[in-house]
């Protein structure tokens, strides 16, 4: 039986930190669904379709990755694609409390799905979509933080800045 995992998130937008987790997850699982969850209370910069499109463009080279979006409970989504695992990335201790809460809830909702954590690559431990947006907004160089397609998309959102 194929080992299917879901890698959920806001991906607003996808960064090299996310991509690293996706690539490493894709080595362990037969199929990885990278899924934009569309029910976050966060205000997003990119629409769900834009986020899905960017993820597709930057994961094209990973054959066992599928990109999707979903509104609702992750536990239900995982069931709908026959996933037995959820992959999450961990950066710092500050991620831990939130992840523990979400994991416990997901286990309560669907005990057949196990959550796996992948520790961030040291070079990305400080990297988040929020910090990338902040730097991009004020024209800072983000070329080492996000793939080129994402940098261009951010440039499009913050047209007044020169050096993004
Ligand atoms: P969410 O809003 O669900 O936290 P994000 O898009 O911010 O979604 O992140 C999706 C997943 O990617 C989360 O598990 C998060 O911890 C992980 N992640 C984000 N940035 C990094 C990074 N730099 N290194 C490792 N994991 C990361």
């Amino acid at each position: 039986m194929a080992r299917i995992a879901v890698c959920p998130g806001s991906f607003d937008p996808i960064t090299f930190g996310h991509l690293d987790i996706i690539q490493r997850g894709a080595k362990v699982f037969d199929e990885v669904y990278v899924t934009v969850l569309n029910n976050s209370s966060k205000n997003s910069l990119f629409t769900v379709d834009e986020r899905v499109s960017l993820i597709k463009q930057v994961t094209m080279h990973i054959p066992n990755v599928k990109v999707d979006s979903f509104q609702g409970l992750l536990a239900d989504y995982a069931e709908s694609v026959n996933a037995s695992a959820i992959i999450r990335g961990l950066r710092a201790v500050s991620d831990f409390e939130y992840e523990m809460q979400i994991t416990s809830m997901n286990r309560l909702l669907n005990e057949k799905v196990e959550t796996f954590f992948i520790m961030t690559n040291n070079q990305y431990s400080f990297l988040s979509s929020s910090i990338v947006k902040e730097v991009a907004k004020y024209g800072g160089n983000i070329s080492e933080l996000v793939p080129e397609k994402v940098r261009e998309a951010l440039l499009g959102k913050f047209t007044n800045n020169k050096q993004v």
Side-chain angles (χ1 to χ4, degrees):
M1 209 172 78
R3 287 164 307 169
I4 301 172
V6 179
C7 185
S10 312
F11 303 104
D12 187 41
I14 185 166
T15 68
F16 280 138
H18 294 126
L19 200 52
D20 180 53
I21 297 299
I22 295 166
Q23 267 162 342
R24 289 158 64 196
K27 285 187 190 158
V28 177
F29 291 93
D30 298 318
E31 250 174 60
V32 175
Y33 284 79
V34 180
T35 306
V36 176
L37 287 188
N38 183 17
N39 45 349
S40 145
S41 49
K42 296 177 191 169
N43 281 330
S44 45
L45 177 65
F46 291 93
T47 66
V48 171
D49 287 348
E50 287 170 333
R51 285 180 265 162
V52 165
S53 164
L54 285 172
I55 301 170
K56 279 187 178 159
Q57 292 176 62
V58 304
T59 57
M60 251 167 26
H61 61 289
I62 322 171
N64 56 337
V65 163
K66 292 188 173 148
V67 187
D68 201 1
S69 64
F70 184 71
Q71 185 155 25
L73 290 174
L74 177 59
D76 293 337
Y77 175 78
E79 181 110 44
S80 75
V81 296
N82 291 321
S84 54
I86 293 168
I87 299 172
R88 297 283 291 173
L90 273 185
R91 282 161 292 190
V93 180
S94 50
D95 280 342
F96 184 83
E97 208 169 302
Y98 173 72
E99 294 295 340
M100 194 166 158
Q101 196 180 6
I102 300 288
T103 302
S104 305
M105 184 49 71
N106 282 332
R107 194 180 305 120
L108 195 73
L109 294 170
N110 187 344
E111 62 180 15
K112 288 179 279 180
V113 180
E114 201 63 63
T115 301
F116 290 85
F117 292 97
I118 299 183
M119 192 62 73
T120 185
N121 205 315
N122 283 349
Q123 71 189 111
Y124 303 131
S125 58
F126 67 94
L127 185 51
S128 67
S129 300
S130 323
I131 208 153
V132 167
K133 283 182 279 191
E134 194 67 10
V135 175
K137 186 172 171 185
Y138 296 107
N141 185 351
I142 53 165
S143 56
E144 293 190 2
L145 311 180
V146 295
E148 182 56 22
K149 294 278 180 203
V150 177
R151 193 184 72 86
E152 286 164 14
L154 280 161
L155 187 61
K157 293 280 180 189
F158 301 116
T159 40
N160 295 334
N161 293 315
K162 338 118 251 176
Q163 205 215 321
V164 176

